[in-house]
Amino acid sequence: MSGQFSANVPGIWISSKHVENAVKGSEEMGPRFEANWAATAGWWGEEGDDDFANQVGPQCEREKEQVLGTVDAITGGFQALIGALAQSADYVQRPQTDAIDSIAEQGSEGEARR
């Protein structure tokens, strides 16, 4: 079988569907985190005269933004992976599609000559 190439294009597409499910999960993660955050925001106290709240409040806000940034980065990574899988499937399938189209063209030209 040396010199032959084969690929499982449907398998590539199925893989991309699994990654799409991961994207959906990561897209839901941010809003869920923010909803849970809202339920606990301010538990450290009220900023102003409260030294602990003055210290912890801004730190918590920074950490919240870092978590949301991380979730966005994970989602973006999954989306890039889906694009790469789709492109890979296209690269694998394109020669076959082109060959089938060429065969169909040759058949049409032959029929037209008759």
Side-chain angles (χ1 to χ4, degrees), residues 29 51 62 75:
M29 194 178 349
D51 289 339
R62 282 191 305 274
T75 301

Side-chain angles (χ1 to χ4, degrees), residues 55-106:
Q55 179 182 0
V56 173
Q59 176 185 344
C60 288
E61 287 295 329
R62 282 191 305 274
E63 289 176 7
K64 173 190 169 192
E65 294 307 314
Q66 289 172 340
V67 168
L68 292 173
T70 300
V71 169
D72 286 345
I74 290 169
T75 301
F78 280 137
Q79 289 169 335
L81 181 56
I82 287 172
L85 286 169
Q87 189 176 33
S88 176
D90 183 52
Y91 286 155
V92 168
Q93 196 166 21
R94 186 176 302 143
Q96 178 186 13
T97 303
D98 290 347
I100 290 170
D101 290 346
S102 292
I103 292 168
E105 280 180 28
Q106 294 297 321

Side-chain angles (χ1 to χ4, degrees), residues 6-53:
S6 67
N8 182 354
V9 175
I12 295 171
W13 286 113
I14 289 169
S15 296
S16 72
K17 295 298 178 197
H18 293 302
V19 177
E20 283 180 24
N21 290 336
V23 168
K24 289 175 187 170
S26 68
E27 287 173 338
E28 294 168 0
M29 194 178 349
R32 274 196 326 261
F33 174 78
E34 287 189 286
N36 288 323
W37 170 268
T40 61
W43 281 12
W44 51 82
E46 302 239 352
E47 295 175 40
D49 292 334
D50 186 338
D51 289 339
F52 180 78

